[in-house]
């Protein structure tokens, strides 16, 4: 086999390992966030981020709300948008 083909295959394999690892880390972070949210709820820690997001949505700053949620939770763009959209659909009090 040509050296270029071997290097390309090794690079592709390494890329697959990296993508798989990143995916696993994202899943771990999501699971940890769920656990922390459950603990915070049981202990009585107020959910200030949701209140802030609702305020931003009411002010018409949906993109800012998505950015703030991403920073606070470490989620990806798609997940953050889905969460903010779900807040938008709820009756905002």
């Amino acid at each position: 086999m040509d050296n270029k083909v071997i290097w390309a295959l090794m690079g592709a394999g390494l890329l697959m390992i990296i993508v798989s690892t990143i995916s696993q880390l994202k899943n771990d972070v999501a699971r940890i966030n769920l656990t922390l949210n459950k603990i915070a709820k049981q202990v009585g820690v107020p959910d200030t981020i949701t209140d802030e997001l609702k305020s931003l949505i009411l002010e018409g700053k949906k993109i800012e709300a998505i950015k703030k949620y991403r920073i606070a939770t470490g989620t990806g763009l798609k997940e953050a948008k889905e969460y903010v959209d779900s807040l938008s659909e709820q009756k905002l009090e």
Side-chain angles (χ1 to χ4, degrees):
M1 256 192 212
D2 190 299
N3 282 341
K4 289 181 183 180
V5 173
I6 293 171
W7 281 107
L9 290 173
M10 287 175 51
L14 182 59
L15 182 62
M16 287 176 36
I17 292 170
I18 291 170
V19 168
S20 174
T21 302
I22 290 172
S23 176
Q24 182 61 45
L25 288 172
K26 283 183 176 183
N27 290 337
D28 290 346
V29 168
R31 183 180 43 78
I32 290 167
N33 278 332
L34 281 172
T35 303
L36 286 174
N37 289 337
K38 288 178 184 178
I39 293 169
K41 195 173 198 176
Q42 286 181 341
V43 174
V45 176
D47 185 6
T48 57
I49 187 70
T50 301
D51 295 338
E52 290 178 44
L53 296 176
K54 287 180 179 181
S55 291
L56 289 170
I57 293 166
L58 285 172
E59 295 171 13
K61 298 178 180 177
K62 197 171 183 181
I63 293 174
E64 192 174 329
I66 292 169
K67 287 180 186 178
K68 185 173 238 14
Y69 185 73
R70 288 187 71 197
I71 290 168
T73 62
T75 58
L77 179 60
K78 181 181 176 189
E79 294 85 2
K81 183 182 180 313
E82 288 172 355
Y83 181 76
V84 170
D85 285 344
S86 74
L87 288 179
S88 296
E89 292 169 2
Q90 295 175 4
K91 291 185 180 180
L92 301 177
E93 300 171 8

